[in-house]
Amino acid sequence: MEHLDEQERQNAWNEIEESLRNGKIDQFRAEFLELHPYDQARIFEELEESLRQEIYMYVSPEEMADVMEHVDDEEVEPYFSEMDPRFASDVFAEMSSDDAVDIMNQLDKDKVASFLTIMEQEDAQEIKDLLHYEEKTAGSIMTTEYVSLKASMKVQEAMNHLRTEAPDAETIYYTYVVDEDKRLVGVISLRDLIISEPEWTIEEAMSDRVVSVSVAKDQEEIAQMMRDYDFLALPVVDFQDHLLGIITVDDIMDVMDEEASDDYSKLAAISDVDGPNDNAFTSAKKRLPWLIILLFLGSLTASLISQFEEQLNQVAILAIFIPLIAGMAGNTGTQALAVAVRGIATGEIRKQGKVRMMFREASTGLITGVVCGLIIMGIVYVWQGNFFLGVLVGISIMSALIVATIAGSFVPLIMDRLNIDPAVASGPFITTINDLISILIYFGMASAFMNLLV
């Protein structure tokens, strides 16, 4: 299976649509099933409902499960609603349990209960066991489709066990070893298993240096662990070290994408990123809470400016530079915020130390402030022919940039310390706060320079 570019996918879509409209079942199956499930999902999403209904009749639940595993979890609700309930429950039964749970978390609770009732009891129980775990924890993203080996097994016995269980397992590159009480005691790679002597026990061949995560651990911390240690999978255990499931690297890639999207939306002051199917009212509902908060903060800025009405009446030209100083402070604050949030997310700040990071950002603010201050001082002097006005604007820019840089890096650190997501210190939020600070600095300086400006 080759990856299709946009033109190739469009050509495949045209051929599949034509086959469906003409009722050419064999031709449709040949064209559709030769594609990678990712491309199948992209084509499936573009088809109208009447043609999707045809697909439900022409493919098996197992084949449909491969497609649905590659559809965005937040977009699947309409598809399962239009399926026959029996067919939908069979699709869930064929999916990996963790993927099935991710989708069910997006569905109406009554529909989930209906699907679980129709499913075979064993499949339904496996999904129910995962559904009760809190979202965004190890328990919610782990799969129970794994192979474990007992420490007392012989290597030859373990190989035979793997041959039997491997077809239904998510991965067998690393196999986790448990004792008689199902407690995790070690790990053995497929390579080590193959090269071990058949008469050895698994306990002799395994490594007891196994890293595991608690079932309640946050998914973002798990993603960071897997990235740092280059793991393909991580075992999930309870408080007594009983093996409950495993988390594979493909699940972590989804987590990283989800967390990046979540952080981006918070940095943009949106409660959640707009989905492609969201209508105008839904999008507005997501954006309004932060906009209303920022509206009130902006009113504080306007109120602050009104306090310096006397200075503006005496030297009206001061008003020209308000947007410049506020904008520069907002820009540099947002830059520092992005660096701080990324450092917290990747763990770099913990490695280099918060004090060192703050000192670096303060030094950066000083350098950028001095450079920008000197440049604008020269521009204002040449433009307005007033040396003291140039000095005022230059010093204000320099001071505002230093303070804004420190604030942009300090606020996320405080939020992280209080166990609040630092991404909440969004760009618009920091920008508005820096507007207040920069205007206070500017007019404070103007008051000191007033005798020289009039």
Side-chain angles (χ1 to χ4, degrees), residues 136 408 418:
K136 297 192 175 184
L418 297 174

Side-chain angles (χ1 to χ4, degrees), residues 234-258:
L234 264 177
V236 180
V237 297
D238 63 13
F239 71 100
Q240 292 181 319
D241 279 340
H242 293 121
L243 183 60
L244 301 176
I246 64 170
I247 298 171
T248 53
V249 69
D250 61 311
D251 297 318
I252 288 302
M253 290 177 69
D254 292 337
V255 167
M256 293 172 72
D257 181 60
E258 179 186 336

Side-chain angles (χ1 to χ4, degrees), residues 333-374:
T334 302
Q335 289 176 338
L337 169 70
V339 171
V341 171
R342 182 184 180 278
I344 292 170
T346 59
E348 291 175 2
I349 287 180
R350 280 186 287 274
K351 294 175 184 176
Q352 70 175 13
K354 295 179 180 179
V355 174
R356 183 179 174 186
M357 190 276 286
M358 287 293 299
F359 179 76
R360 185 193 68 196
E361 288 301 311
S363 301
T364 303
L366 176 62
I367 294 170
T368 56
V370 169
V371 172
C372 291
L374 289 173

Side-chain angles (χ1 to χ4, degrees), residues 316-347:
I317 199 170
L318 290 175
I320 295 176
F321 301 102
I322 293 175
L324 172 67
I325 294 171
M328 288 293 292
N331 290 338
T332 194
T334 302
Q335 289 176 338
L337 169 70
V339 171
V341 171
R342 182 184 180 278
I344 292 170
T346 59

